[in-house]
Amino acid sequence: MSDTSADVIVIGGGIAGVSAAFQLSTDHRVILLEREAQLAHHTTGRSAAVFIVNYGGPIAQRLTVGSRPFYDDPPAHLVDGAIMEPRGLMSIGTEAFRAEFETQALQGQALDSTIEQLGPREILRLCPAIRPEVAAIATYEPGASIMDVMGLHQAYVRGARANGALIERYQDVNRIERVGERWEVQTDQGKWACDTIVNAAGAWGDEVGILAGAQPLGLAPMRRTAFTVKTDLDATAWPFVHIETDDGPCYFKHEAGSQLMCSPADEVPSEPCDARAEELDIARAIDRINSATTLDIRHVNTSWAGLRSFLPDRQPVLGWDDQLPAFCWMVGQGGTGITTSHASGRVVASVVRDEPLPEDLARLGLDFFAMGPRRTGVV
């Protein structure tokens, strides 16, 4: 088999693509094609990097739970240090959000019994910067952690390469064609051939699907803005703080030194692109955070934006296309791509191998149909 031919071609070098390459390369010849000069250039490298169980809907939540054992105890030969740093997450709301937060806590407790509800006193103890009039109720997830996203991404890359996978950058796919029993993938750098394609192209997922002749799933890329600010308060012991205000959501978390990373938790429709932060979105976040806290943010140090892609039901798709042979979708993670990546890679590997779902994932209530494209009613 030549260097341009493989059992599986994975399109996309973000966290989803490299996790699939890592899992499949144990028994398949894998080639990963990335359009950019570096891997993880778009969404993966711009994440808030927080492991949260109580977020993203039933499929994403179960994939997150199923991924945690790997993050807590990753193979020593693949990582340089810990992937997870315990931090906790506190989602705060005014009295108007009480019913919503109570429902949210009950749903989360079905997968993580440590999730609890907090009242004003506990909220202010965990983050004294919150204004008392905002601190009516909170959902607290003590097991939430800050993730070393690039460390995790690199672990998958190292594992895939150690298994013999070929990772090629600068490969902008412009044609995908079925030739006999195989796929041919044309990029601006050359031609590649394979038995199976895994479409892990993130915001470009529908575009890749269309190139192969698939009906698009209806992926909707959404821009999310983030920025850093300096604070004079000691925020090192604070959890990740998410706040629902009357004007919309926002969040912040402590970064190295005296920095806070902040966001308006926005979802702004976008074309697939190299996203950039908009001043208006930053201003909205500052207004919301200042109205809910005593942080008194005035100056921004750095800012950026990334794209989170959602399907109509806001759940990821991991599975075969019903119309195209040997074309596997791995898209629509909607902001959970990092936390779900290990289990998602295992699911895709089981799909490609035509094997049952791993027992530990099946016990969480996951199944192939619920994760497959047919459930969307599109393909």
Side-chain angles (χ1 to χ4, degrees):
M1 190 174 285
S2 73
D3 287 343
T4 59
S5 180
D7 301 318
V8 181
I9 285 179
V10 177
I11 299 176
I15 198 83
V18 296
S19 68
F22 169 54
Q23 295 293 336
L24 283 164
S25 60
T26 60
D27 58 355
H28 287 72
R29 166 70 171 165
V30 174
I31 297 174
L32 184 145
L33 302 178
E34 166 56 45
R35 63 182 290 169
E36 304 293 349
Q38 63 186 51
L39 304 177
H41 176 72
H42 292 286
T43 301
T44 298
R46 307 176 194 190
S47 163
V50 183
F51 180 94
I52 311 169
V53 169
N54 200 22
Y55 178 76
I59 294 174
Q61 288 174 334
R62 283 161 174 78
L63 290 168
T64 295
V65 172
S67 296
R68 179 153 203 163
F70 182 86
Y71 306 152
D72 283 337
D73 188 22
H77 67 286
L78 296 182
V79 299
D80 295 325
I83 295 295
M84 304 273 269
E85 176 194 334
R87 181 72 63 88
L89 177 139
M90 182 167 60
S91 185
I92 304 167
T94 61
E95 191 62 37
F97 292 94
R98 179 171 294 276
E100 178 183 330
F101 274 51
E102 288 174 347
T103 299
Q104 182 187 82
L106 286 173
Q107 291 173 341
Q109 286 164 355
L111 288 170
D112 183 347
S113 62
T114 68
I115 293 173
E116 58 181 324
Q117 298 254 256
L118 302 180
R121 182 176 299 178
E122 294 95 339
I123 293 171
L124 297 177
R125 177 181 61 81
L126 287 171
C127 184
I130 303 297
R131 295 186 189 275
E133 62 269 26
V134 175
I137 188 170
T139 301
Y140 182 56
E141 185 176 322
S145 298
I146 305 301
M147 299 183 72
D148 179 0
V149 174
M150 298 316 295
L152 177 61
H153 185 276
Q154 188 59 33
Y156 294 141
V157 170
R158 285 176 181 169
R161 283 180 168 151
N163 292 335
L166 185 65
I167 297 177
E168 294 286 338
R169 298 169 295 158
Y170 302 99
Q171 300 294 331
D172 189 6
V173 175
N174 52 55
R175 184 180 65 84
I176 302 174
E177 184 177 356
R178 189 74 177 166
V179 179
E181 296 298 313
R182 307 199 81 205
W183 287 104
E184 285 189 359
V185 179
Q186 181 77 46
T187 75
D188 50 359
Q189 301 294 322
K191 185 183 294 184
W192 311 82
C194 65
D195 298 320
T196 300
I197 290 175
V198 174
N199 176 9
W204 288 264
D206 266 348
E207 294 186 2
V208 167
I210 290 169
L211 283 176
Q215 190 171 351
L217 300 184
L219 274 174
M222 301 283 185
R223 187 179 72 242
R224 172 150 295 185
T225 304
F227 56 94
T228 60
V229 300
K230 186 178 184 299
T231 179
D232 294 329
L233 300 176
D234 183 3
T236 54
W238 295 358
F240 182 103
V241 176
H242 176 274
I243 308 173
E244 290 289 347
T245 77
D246 293 339
D247 295 325
C250 58
Y251 62 73
F252 56 88
K253 71 180 179 79
H254 176 255
E255 298 275 85
S258 58
Q259 300 291 307
L260 294 176
M261 191 208 81
C262 309
S263 173
D266 50 341
E267 292 181 1
V268 181
S270 171
E271 294 297 318
C273 67
D274 190 1
R276 294 287 185 267
E278 299 286 343
E279 290 187 8
L280 181 58
D281 296 323
I282 295 172
R284 287 192 180 112
I286 291 173
D287 285 345
R288 293 172 191 173
I289 293 172
N290 284 344
S291 69
T293 73
T294 58
L295 288 170
D296 192 26
I297 296 171
R298 299 183 181 217
H299 304 289
V300 172
N301 293 336
T302 59
S303 64
W304 64 95
L307 297 181
R308 299 143 53 89
S309 298
F310 295 88
L311 289 161
D313 64 359
R314 297 178 70 87
Q315 293 296 286
V317 158
L318 309 169
W320 292 126
D321 188 278
D322 286 355
Q323 297 176 352
L324 297 180
F327 187 90
C328 182
W329 293 86
M330 191 182 191
V331 298
Q333 290 86 354
T336 67
I338 293 160
T339 63
T340 63
S341 62
H342 190 257
S344 294
R346 295 174 66 206
V347 169
V348 166
S350 295
V351 170
V352 172
R353 293 178 183 132
D354 193 24
E355 294 178 349
L357 200 63
E359 289 185 8
D360 59 312
L361 300 183
R363 285 196 299 269
L364 291 172
L366 292 165
D367 67 80
F368 286 130
F369 179 81
M371 292 182 284
R374 275 188 301 171
R375 71 146 202 277
T376 67
V378 176
V379 295

